[in-house]
């Protein structure tokens, strides 16, 4: 195993009704609250009213910034940071899915400085301070609620990239599975594909960590056992609860400790697809993972077969990939680009952007030949 430090400061409040502690928790941090949310689902499903009632109960002063879109963009973050500089919040309260939480993390480190949030994303600036962040998660998928990462798009540079810093951990995250009842069937499925992909990125990362491998299998088993059941019963609290906890554990460090890195090559591929066609994140991963595995089976057949043995009781790489694909199909996620409405006429565009962005993994380096083969697999299998 590689040496590691566990230093995750996020306090997670998990379970039905936990929002009753939201107001008092925020009030302990400060009085002026910048509330960040998305395109309005929280206004339709009643979560906005629950949150505002908590703020009013404590007499907190709230300024709102809404309109964060899925596959969030740096322009919105910069506008929110500008509004935040005028308001001078004591705390940022992010209410939404990964897109809202990620945007809020970069808003939190951009308010104290005068430059665009992209300087952080591109690694050209390091944050020195952050407005404290509290989150209310409304969609189980990314793990952003208990990690230090954020992913943003920039259409000027044509990049979608991730960035992480210790200052970006939420102070508190409130996870009430009943707040995810209103998540659509599609986004529920994309969340399951995303959490599965997160632990696979760890599994194919650098370094040997047997307990982390076992956490990987455990998270995927939860997804395989309860994911399809949830899609047939979207209002089930016990199933929403299992998937929400699995999504948090998929990217809070548990499956990574003892490794030098995850791989993240499949995420890098998925980010190019989202950037070009605004495809939901989880949908890009159910397409890219089988394609990546097909190519990598030439290089790491034993590792892929080990995954298959432990998850599906099969012995070959081909069977492992087939089983994983079958699982993605079972939860009605796309497994080829045309399934997501991206036809063969886009092949040159996809390939060109992947080569231009030097799409790569951290552990398994991708050559131009690899990228060409993976693109072919994503279109035709
Ligand atoms: O815009 P709103 O109104 O919030 O609606 C959203 C959006 O349309 C809706 N939604 C959220 N909660 C809902 C709901 N609809 C009904 N009821 C609810 N309770 O769902 C749609 C998708 O939301 P979004 O936040 O985009 O989804 P997700 O949580 O999957 O986040 C995806 C983003 O996170 C990034 C992805 O790249 C993508 O940009 N990731 C972040 C990571 C991290 N911070 O660690 C890691 C991941 O690998 C991922 O890259
Ligand atoms: Zn992801």
């Amino acid at each position: 195993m590689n040496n590691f430090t566990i230093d995750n400061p996020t306090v997670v409040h998990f379970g039905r009704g936990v929002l009753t502690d939201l107001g008092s928790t925020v009030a302990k941090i400060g009085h002026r609250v910048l509330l960040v949310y998305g395109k309005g689902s929280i206004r339709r499903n009643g979560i906005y009213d629950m949150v505002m009632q908590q703020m009013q109960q404590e007499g907190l002063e709230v300024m709102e910034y809404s309109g964060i879109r899925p596959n969030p963009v740096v322009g919105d973050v910069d506008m929110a940071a500008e509004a935040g500089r005028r308001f001078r919040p004591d705390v940022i309260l992010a209410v939404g899915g990964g897109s809202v939480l990620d945007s809020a993390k970069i808003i939190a480190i951009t308010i104290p400085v005068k430059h665009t949030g992209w300087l952080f994303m591109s690694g050209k600036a390091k944050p020195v301070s952050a407005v404290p962040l509290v989150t209310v998660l409304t969609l189980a998928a990314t793990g952003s609620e208990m990690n230090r990462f954020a992913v943003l798009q920039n259409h000027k540079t044509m990049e979608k990239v991730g960035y992480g810093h210790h200052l970006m951990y939420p102070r508190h995250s409130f996870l009430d599975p009943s707040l995810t009842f209103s998540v659509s069937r599609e986004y529920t499925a994309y969340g399951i594909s995303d959490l599965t992909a997160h632990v696979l990125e760890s599994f194919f990362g650098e370094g040997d960590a047997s307990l982390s491998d076992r956490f990987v299998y455990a998270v995927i088993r939860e997804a395989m056992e309860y994911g399809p059941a949830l899609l047939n019963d979207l209002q089930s609290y016990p199933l929403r609860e299992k998937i929400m906890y699995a999504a948090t554990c998929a990217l809070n460090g548990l499956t990574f400790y003892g490794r030098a890195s995850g791989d993240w090559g499949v995420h890098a591929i998925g980010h190019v697809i989202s950037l070009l066609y605004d495809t939901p994140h989880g949908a890009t991963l159910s397409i890219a993972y089988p394609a990546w595995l097909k190519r990598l089976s030439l290089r790491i057949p034993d590792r892929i077969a080990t995954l298959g043995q432990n998850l599906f009781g099969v012995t070959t790489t081909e069977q492992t990939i087939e089983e994983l694909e079958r699982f993605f199909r079972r939860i009605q996620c796309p497994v080829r680009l045309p399934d997501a409405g991206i036809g063969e006429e886009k092949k040159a565009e996809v390939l060109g952007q992947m080569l231009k962005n030097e799409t790569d993994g951290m552990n398994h380096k991708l050559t131009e030949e690899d990228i060409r083969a993976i693109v072919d697999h994503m279109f035709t299998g």
Side-chain angles (χ1 to χ4, degrees):
M1 279 202 290
N2 285 68
N3 292 3
F4 59 93
T5 307
I6 300 180
D7 181 10
N8 188 325
T10 303
V11 179
V12 174
H13 308 249
F14 190 98
R16 203 196 282 273
V18 290
L19 249 57
T20 49
D21 292 333
L22 177 66
S24 56
T25 303
V26 172
K28 277 189 201 126
I29 304 174
H31 181 76
R32 296 165 72 81
V33 181
L34 175 60
L35 171 65
V36 179
Y37 59 98
K39 292 278 195 193
S41 64
I42 66 165
R43 283 193 173 263
R44 292 187 291 278
N45 58 24
I47 297 173
Y48 175 87
D49 292 339
M50 290 162 81
V51 167
M52 287 310 278
Q53 197 240 335
Q54 285 289 311
M55 299 298 105
Q56 281 152 12
Q57 199 173 291
E58 299 291 329
L60 303 176
E61 193 178 337
V62 178
M63 190 188 102
E64 292 183 24
Y65 189 93
S66 63
I68 300 294
R69 63 193 96 172
N71 291 320
V73 294
V74 69
D76 283 340
V77 163
D78 286 338
M79 281 196 288
E82 186 48 41
R85 282 182 202 112
R86 289 193 296 272
F87 178 63
R88 289 179 289 106
D90 301 315
V91 52
I92 295 176
L93 176 57
V95 183
S99 296
V100 169
L101 270 55
D102 285 7
S103 299
K105 288 175 177 180
I106 303 299
I107 296 166
I109 56 172
T110 304
I111 287 177
V113 297
K114 292 200 167 69
H115 58 72
T116 162
W118 197 253
L119 276 198
F120 297 124
M121 303 304 297
S122 57
K124 292 189 181 123
K126 278 216 162 75
V128 285
S129 64
V131 180
L133 174 65
V134 174
T135 82
V136 174
L137 186 68
T138 66
L139 194 164
T142 65
S144 186
E145 64 277 11
M146 201 183 168
N147 72 38
R148 62 198 183 105
F149 305 113
V151 185
L152 287 184
Q153 293 194 167
N154 182 337
H155 284 108
K156 285 196 191 118
T157 63
M158 281 305 279
E159 289 169 285
K160 178 171 184 175
V161 295
Y163 177 70
H165 192 279
H166 196 267
L167 284 168
M168 288 158 55
Y169 276 108
R171 293 271 179 100
H172 292 265
S173 283
F174 289 80
L175 280 63
D176 180 338
S178 67
L179 302 190
T180 66
F181 283 154
S182 52
V183 176
S184 66
R185 201 166 198 290
E186 289 76 17
Y187 270 104
T188 302
Y190 301 151
I192 297 166
S193 136
D194 193 19
L195 77 88
T196 303
H198 291 161
V199 298
L200 290 177
E201 297 286 16
S202 173
F203 187 80
F204 292 110
E206 190 187 343
D208 176 28
S210 56
L211 181 56
S212 290
D213 284 356
R214 286 171 207 254
F215 284 135
V216 167
Y217 306 142
V219 168
I220 300 183
R221 285 207 186 100
E222 290 284 296
M224 290 194 311
E225 188 167 342
Y226 303 116
L230 172 58
L231 292 169
N232 286 326
D233 189 3
L234 293 172
Q235 303 304 311
S236 161
Y237 183 84
L239 294 172
R240 287 284 187 191
E241 171 180 70
K242 289 190 193 294
I243 294 300
M244 193 171 216
Y245 185 44
T248 301
C249 290
L251 196 47
N252 66 356
L254 198 61
T255 66
F256 287 85
Y257 298 129
R259 295 190 219 281
S261 72
D263 188 71
W264 299 107
V266 172
H267 269 67
I269 297 164
H271 290 342
V272 170
I273 309 299
S274 290
L275 184 70
L276 288 171
Y277 309 113
D278 208 21
T279 311
H281 177 63
T284 68
L285 302 170
S286 54
I287 295 166
Y289 239 113
W292 183 90
L293 285 169
K294 276 173 201 160
R295 181 64 186 176
L296 268 287
S297 62
L298 305 176
R299 220 181 296 165
I300 47 164
D302 292 350
R303 186 74 176 146
I304 297 173
T306 300
L307 181 77
Q309 257 158 26
N310 282 282
L311 282 182
F312 309 116
V314 299
T315 48
T316 69
T317 54
E318 290 79 10
Q319 288 167 324
T320 306
I321 299 164
E322 262 171 42
E323 289 295 334
L324 186 69
E325 232 181 77
R326 186 168 300 145
F327 170 60
F328 286 140
R329 285 186 207 275
R330 244 185 109 197
I331 58 170
Q332 291 171 30
C333 280
V335 292
R336 302 283 180 270
L337 287 169
D339 301 343
I342 302 162
E344 285 244 23
E345 71 283 359
K346 303 285 189 197
K347 197 181 233 180
E349 188 172 50
V350 172
L351 180 63
Q353 196 66 49
M354 276 179 57
L355 293 174
K356 187 159 169 268
N357 290 21
E358 298 176 355
T359 306
D360 208 353
M362 289 170 74
N363 187 26
H364 299 294
K365 295 293 166 193
L366 300 175
T367 63
E368 180 170 338
E369 218 186 336
D370 291 330
I371 303 258
R372 284 180 187 279
I374 289 169
V375 170
D376 281 342
H377 289 315
M378 287 199 295
F379 277 102
T380 47

